[in-house]
Amino acid sequence: MSKPILATTSLAGCFGCHMSFLDIDERILELIELVEFNKSPIDDIKTFTKECDIGLIEGGCCNSENIEVLKEFRKHCKILVSVGECAIMGGLPALRNGISIKECLEEAYLNGPTVGENTAKIMPNDDELPMLLNKVYPCHEIVKIDYYLPGCPPRADLIWNALVALVTGDELQLPYEVVKFD
């Protein structure tokens, strides 16, 4: 019997959800017995090499590259899970949503306290740079999301419980301790 295939990625966020995922500690050895990884920083596979059963997405969408990656995950994953507040609501990156892109760029590259000597007033402008979006979008505003794991980041136990339930087909057990925010 083949194992379910799991893929993970990070969009606009801090990578904290992947760190929480790694906080399942020695249970990662149990997870390796349950799933095969594909396209994930966990196994360093950069592109999909096969269709996946479960995709974990952390981070929201703030640029064109984030949109492309998210759509690619939706296309290649039967089940897509938004992991953490950035994927679910835009998180901290969405604090820029009330500010124009022009104003954000000027603050970052021209007027910010850490800019230093940019006397030439140079703004990044290269075709290889992803285009910034008008705002930071949560994943469900771009593609269909099947499940949500809240938290900033979600607790390791929540990620573990959700993965085991998805892989085994059992009902997800969500005791208060794995979803509380105090």
Side-chain angles (χ1 to χ4, degrees):
M1 187 171 110
S2 64
K3 298 181 203 178
I5 301 168
L6 175 66
T8 71
T9 197
S10 182
L11 304 174
C14 70
F15 217 75
C17 295
H18 269 84
M19 297 308 296
S20 191
F21 175 78
L22 292 175
D23 282 344
I24 66 173
D25 299 328
E26 71 278 354
R27 292 178 290 185
I28 197 140
L29 299 174
E30 292 177 52
L31 186 60
I32 290 169
E33 294 299 317
L34 295 173
V35 302
E36 174 187 340
F37 283 94
N38 191 279
K39 191 172 179 352
S40 174
I42 305 296
D43 60 9
D44 203 29
I45 295 176
K46 307 276 191 246
T47 58
F48 286 100
T49 60
K50 53 182 82 171
E51 296 305 298
C52 296
D53 297 293
I54 302 166
L56 301 180
I57 301 285
E58 78 165 283
C61 294
C62 75
N63 63 41
S64 57
E65 181 181 44
N66 296 151
I67 298 282
E68 289 171 29
V69 169
L70 181 58
K71 286 181 176 180
E72 193 72 5
F73 260 73
R74 179 71 273 175
K75 185 169 115 182
H76 290 285
C77 298
K78 293 176 189 166
I79 296 172
L80 201 54
V81 183
S82 279
V83 181
E85 297 310 310
C86 293
I88 295 171
M89 296 187 300
L92 287 176
L95 289 175
R96 80 158 170 96
N97 285 356
I99 303 169
S100 72
I101 292 175
K102 180 181 186 289
E103 194 177 341
C104 285
L105 291 172
E106 287 175 355
E107 181 67 19
Y109 295 101
L110 303 177
N111 307 324
T114 60
V115 170
E117 299 296 319
N118 185 2
T119 55
K121 304 290 186 197
I122 297 171
M123 297 279 274
N125 183 17
D126 189 294
D127 290 340
E128 290 189 26
L129 293 174
M131 290 294 293
L132 287 178
L133 302 175
N134 63 330
K135 70 174 201 164
V136 177
Y137 292 88
C139 294
H140 70 273
E141 289 188 18
I142 308 298
V143 300
K144 178 184 180 286
I145 298 295
D146 301 296
Y147 298 99
Y148 301 85
L149 298 180
C152 184
R155 293 169 181 249
D157 288 337
L158 175 58
I159 295 170
W160 169 255
N161 292 350
L163 282 173
V164 169
L166 286 170
V167 168
T168 62
D170 291 340
E171 187 174 324
L172 178 57
Q173 300 298 315
L174 292 175
Y176 175 74
E177 297 77 39
V178 301
V179 292
K180 68 178 182 176
F181 294 98
D182 48 315

